Amino acid sequence: MTVIETHHLTKYYANGRIQALEDFNLEVTPGMIFSLLGPNGAGKTTLIKLLLGICFPTRGKAKIFGQDIKNYSCHSKLGYLAENHRFPEFLSAERILYYYGKMAGLNRSYLLERIPELLELVRLKEWGKVKIRKFSKGMLQRLGLAQALINDPELLFLDEPTDGIDPVGRREVRDILLALQERGKTIFLNSHLLSEVERVSDEIAILKNGKLIEKGNVQQFISVKHTYQLRIQNGKAELPDILNQFQISAQEKDDMLLISVSDEQQLNQFIDELRKRQLMIQAIIPHKVTLEDFFIKVLEDSQPS
Amino acid sequence: MNSKILALIQITFRESLAKKTFIAFFGISTLICLLFMFALNLDIVDGMQSSVALFGQESKELIDIEMLIFKIESAVAVLLFSGGLFMSLFATSGLIPSLMQTGTVDLLISKPLGRFHILLGRYLGAVAIVGFNVFYLVIFSWLILSLKTGFWHAGFLMAGIMIVLTFAILYALMTLLGILTRSGAFSLMITYLILFFSPLLLQRDQIYALLSGKIWGILLDSFYYFLPKTAELGNITRLLVQGQPVFSWMPLWTSVVFGILMLTTSTYIFSRKNF
Ligand SMILES: Nc1ncnc2c1ncn2[C@@H]1O[C@H](COP(=O)(O)OP(=O)(O)OP(=O)(O)O)[C@@H](O)[C@H]1O
Ligand SMILES: [Mg+2]
């Protein structure tokens, strides 16, 4: 069972002059937080718009909850936070949630209960009765998130959800997303904030010029195989000798030593040797790069092709 | 489905109200009703005859009340048919372009609503607010006048329906233009042009006397039958108010066909549009 699947999904604009998305294949399974990364104009928003029927594919097919995207009935199980979303500015936050909830097919008594909860969740409780033309950018974004959650959706599309939100708010958004995942919801995220993405996502895909250039598990991407960070307290002079003995390459990084071993067995023998020589190990941790490093490297590697 | 479309209609209603034009419309209507209520005094002297006082100024002659009511009701209908339509078209011209803005239309499409329903909700919302304003004036002035005189003419209520229908037909054109151009000002301009140009086609006999060639005659005739016939619709409205027989309903049904055609085309284009 997949929540989202696309087959050769392609979208051209301007009679084929702009290739916004090219032969895109993807599967998102339930309960996953999936993030789509890519530079500006890579086609991230285009993909969401195609999936929601806001624009139509040039070629290819896609399904949401097993239904063809042409069928809008599955939209009652979706939530969407659009990039640059625009609400009627003459309405109050509560009214907006009410009308949009109605359009999602929800009834009045459910909405009257749900709306205060959501305003509380996105920290707009005191602003419910205020016309949104008085809202700041971050507040509008919070309202957008509340709107996306109005029907307690099974699948949530968020296009740059933390855009304009302050650092504390971003952490709150992150907690909201993780809590939703806990409840089995699937989340599809577009974001440029790679540190956020790294913290919440299970899988990522990287798009460039409409083409998929990398896809997979985040933890696998950012942990570097057989490389560990080592910190010892004393006996630094003896180290080169031991490293030589095991033929382990090492490089210094801050107050740590980055070592690359051939396998875990060698790592353990190495540790035994350190202990035998009475060196005090303070820490030994698997080495990770940041998602940002990985992202930039992937984009650079894709440059020549 | 109905309650979803209702929410769209309500939002459209609120958006139109926020434009203030309809508040002005409503204010003028209220003033007219108050005028009828307090400033117009009819002293029924002798069954059918009465003396009339407007703002306390009593006219000397006795007047046939029923004629007077017809006159007042016609005046209200003419006011609504000209000024009311003019204002309504002006106030609703931005609704379709604002619906189509990125960020607005995206959110609506992400709801379990077909594109046809989105457009229909918008269209009906506009017709609803105009209908509300027109019937506010029509029903209240009708009640006041009828209560004061005892003459209850249903024709005046029919005129209200005609005015809203005329708006609905013209608004269908404006909807199509709005979808094609995304410009409220442009759609309004063209719609006004049709509104004022179509009465000229009534005089097409004189126009083709000036032009040589049969083709012009056919062209003008087709224009005439295709476009909404606002002058004749106004005429039908007047006849209805005065309780006179309407000899030809052709202008009405051909105009309705035009409206339906515009709406169908709008839906077709709107449901295939990439946003
Ligand atoms: N309606 C449109 N008409 C023509 N071209 C479009 C349209 N929408 C998007 N594009 C083009 O498609 C490409 C992909 O745009 P898209 O909005 O999907 O990028 P994105 O990855 O979301 O970028 P960002 O990170 O800036 O949000 C861009 O080159 C853009 O210019
Ligand atoms: Mg985008």
Side-chain angles (χ1 to χ4, degrees):
Chain A
M1 170 62 186
T2 55
V3 180
I4 303 172
E5 54 181 291
T6 71
H7 302 281
H8 309 292
L9 203 60
T10 301
K11 176 66 184 175
Y12 296 160
Y13 284 113
N15 292 321
R17 265 177 285 131
I18 299 173
Q19 283 129 33
L21 200 66
E22 184 82 61
D23 202 27
F24 188 81
N25 294 300
L26 177 76
E27 280 189 7
V28 176
T29 49
M32 183 190 277
I33 298 186
F34 185 93
S35 295
L36 195 59
L37 315 179
N40 293 130
K44 305 181 295 296
T45 302
T46 302
L47 176 62
I48 294 189
K49 284 185 170 185
L50 285 170
L51 291 173
L52 291 174
I54 296 163
C55 59
F56 303 106
T58 310
R59 272 198 303 278
K61 276 202 299 250
K63 287 179 180 175
I64 292 182
F65 298 120
Q67 274 182 350
D68 193 280
I69 47 170
K70 285 194 199 95
N71 186 339
Y72 60 81
S73 64
C74 64
H75 288 194
S76 53
K77 289 186 280 180
L78 300 183
Y80 176 39
L81 170 63
E83 93 182 324
N84 307 321
H85 57 79
R86 201 193 304 256
F87 292 123
E89 57 168 23
F90 46 87
L91 294 178
S92 68
E94 271 178 4
R95 274 279 119 185
I96 286 172
L97 291 177
Y98 182 78
Y99 286 139
Y100 280 74
K102 275 280 187 183
M103 281 190 269
L106 305 168
N107 64 37
R108 190 185 153 79
S109 57
Y110 172 83
L111 285 170
L112 291 183
E113 233 171 82
R114 179 81 176 151
I115 291 169
E117 276 171 26
L118 280 175
L119 287 174
E120 170 94 61
L121 184 72
V122 299
R123 304 235 182 278
L124 284 176
K125 204 172 140 205
E126 285 80 38
W127 292 84
K129 301 236 178 319
V130 180
K131 292 229 160 59
I132 63 154
R133 74 163 64 90
K134 296 184 186 149
F135 278 24
S136 71
K137 180 171 162 58
M139 287 158 73
L140 285 173
Q141 194 68 10
R142 287 161 188 261
L143 180 65
L145 183 63
Q147 193 284 130
L149 294 172
I150 190 83
N151 54 343
D152 195 18
E154 290 304 313
L155 170 60
L156 197 55
F157 288 97
L158 303 175
D159 203 342
E160 293 173 32
T162 48
D163 186 24
I165 293 186
D166 58 54
V168 177
R170 282 209 294 271
R171 158 170 290 164
E172 286 163 3
V173 170
R174 196 164 72 221
D175 291 341
I176 292 173
L177 298 189
L178 291 171
L180 286 169
Q181 185 187 31
E182 198 106 299
R183 292 175 46 218
K185 314 285 183 188
T186 312
I187 299 168
F188 190 103
L189 198 66
N190 277 2
S191 181
H192 292 298
L193 280 172
L194 298 182
S195 56
E196 304 284 328
V197 170
E198 184 181 326
R199 286 192 185 120
V200 298
S201 311
D202 301 306
E203 288 205 359
I204 58 164
I206 299 178
L207 266 182
K208 189 186 169 191
N209 297 332
K211 295 193 188 70
L212 182 68
I213 53 175
E214 190 67 83
K215 187 173 73 174
N217 181 286
V218 186
Q219 292 310 318
Q220 271 170 20
F221 284 145
I222 60 175
S223 55
V224 184
K225 232 178 174 180
H226 300 319
T227 304
Y228 296 85
Q229 293 174 345
L230 172 73
R231 185 158 64 205
I232 50 171
Q233 202 173 32
N234 55 346
K236 289 207 171 93
E238 281 180 71
L239 257 180
D241 201 30
I242 309 170
L243 289 167
N244 253 342
Q245 179 190 336
F246 282 88
Q247 291 193 320
I248 292 172
S249 66
Q251 95 196 63
E252 220 152 326
K253 191 189 176 208
D254 306 328
D255 61 334
M256 312 274 265
L257 200 65
L258 221 53
I259 55 168
S260 301
V261 295
S262 55
D263 54 22
E264 272 154 26
Q265 173 132 31
Q266 191 191 28
L267 177 70
N268 280 288
Q269 287 166 355
F270 175 66
I271 294 170
D272 289 345
E273 186 63 29
L274 293 180
R275 296 296 302 129
K276 210 167 84 192
R277 299 197 190 196
Q278 309 270 304
L279 267 66
M280 181 66 93
I281 300 173
Q282 283 178 317
I284 182 152
I285 38 186
H287 179 54
K288 288 182 176 179
V289 290
T290 61
L291 186 57
E292 192 173 300
D293 294 335
F294 176 75
F295 176 74
I296 288 169
K297 185 167 173 296
V298 167
L299 286 185
E300 276 170 357
D301 289 352
S302 75
Q303 209 71 9
S305 60
Chain B
M1 185 46 68
N2 294 336
S3 75
K4 295 184 211 164
I5 294 183
L6 191 66
L8 259 167
I9 294 177
Q10 283 172 311
I11 290 190
T12 310
F13 209 96
R14 294 286 302 261
E15 186 169 339
S16 317
L17 277 186
K19 291 267 156 54
K20 305 289 189 278
T21 317
F22 282 112
I23 311 255
F25 195 146
F26 192 79
I28 295 170
S29 301
T30 307
L31 272 178
I32 294 176
C33 289
L34 288 175
L35 186 98
F36 290 157
M37 206 184 293
F38 297 111
L40 180 74
N41 282 311
L42 297 165
D43 286 320
I44 303 199
V45 176
D46 176 22
M48 297 303 289
Q49 306 264 292
S50 80
S51 71
V52 179
L54 192 58
F55 295 117
Q57 296 275 318
E58 200 158 335
S59 78
K60 292 284 170 283
E61 307 124 81
L62 295 180
I63 293 171
D64 182 334
I65 302 181
E66 192 160 23
M67 277 318 289
L68 180 77
I69 294 305
F70 278 141
K71 277 201 180 122
I72 295 178
E73 288 180 346
S74 301
V76 173
V78 165
L79 187 73
L80 276 174
F81 200 89
S82 52
L85 277 187
F86 193 84
M87 262 173 117
S88 304
L89 287 171
F90 175 78
T92 52
S93 63
L95 289 177
I96 296 293
S98 88
L99 170 77
M100 305 229 300
Q101 278 178 328
T102 354
T104 303
V105 73
D106 312 39
L107 277 181
L108 296 179
I109 294 175
S110 79
K111 298 289 166 198
L113 280 167
R115 292 202 182 187
F116 168 67
H117 300 120
I118 295 173
L119 194 63
L120 188 72
R122 199 64 165 172
Y123 177 81
L124 290 180
V127 174
I129 183 143
V130 172
F132 172 81
N133 269 285
V134 167
F135 276 101
Y136 170 73
L137 177 55
V138 166
I139 289 181
F140 275 95
S141 55
W142 179 73
L143 276 179
I144 295 166
L145 292 172
S146 302
L147 283 171
K148 282 196 172 184
T149 62
F151 289 105
W152 300 82
H153 296 135
F156 189 45
L157 297 179
M158 303 281 281
I161 296 176
M162 277 297 293
I163 293 164
V164 178
L165 198 60
T166 307
F167 171 79
I169 292 164
L170 291 171
Y171 195 64
L173 170 68
M174 209 147 76
T175 301
L176 178 62
L177 292 168
I179 289 173
L180 290 175
T181 65
R182 291 177 186 248
S183 157
F186 181 80
S187 328
L188 186 65
M189 227 168 63
I190 301 292
T191 309
Y192 278 166
L193 211 66
I194 300 280
L195 186 64
F196 298 121
F197 173 69
S198 65
L200 285 183
L201 287 173
L202 269 180
Q203 267 89 50
R204 62 194 183 287
D205 289 340
Q206 279 142 341
I207 303 176
Y208 30 85
L210 300 174
L211 303 162
S212 57
K214 210 171 163 171
I215 185 80
W216 288 106
I218 298 172
L219 205 67
L220 284 173
D221 270 351
S222 350
F223 260 135
Y224 171 75
Y225 286 107
F226 176 69
L227 292 176
K229 291 148 205 64
T230 42
E232 282 110 309
L233 292 176
N235 208 24
I236 293 180
T237 309
R238 191 180 52 82
L239 292 173
L240 285 172
V241 177
Q242 299 180 347
Q244 289 169 18
V246 176
F247 291 111
S248 168
W249 291 100
M250 181 279 289
L252 178 62
W253 69 256
T254 50
S255 302
V256 170
V257 167
F258 173 84
I260 292 172
L261 200 68
M262 292 298 111
L263 267 189
T264 323
T265 317
S266 304
T267 313
Y268 182 83
I269 296 172
F270 188 74
S271 43
R272 271 156 192 76
K273 217 170 172 69
N274 284 294
F275 290 105

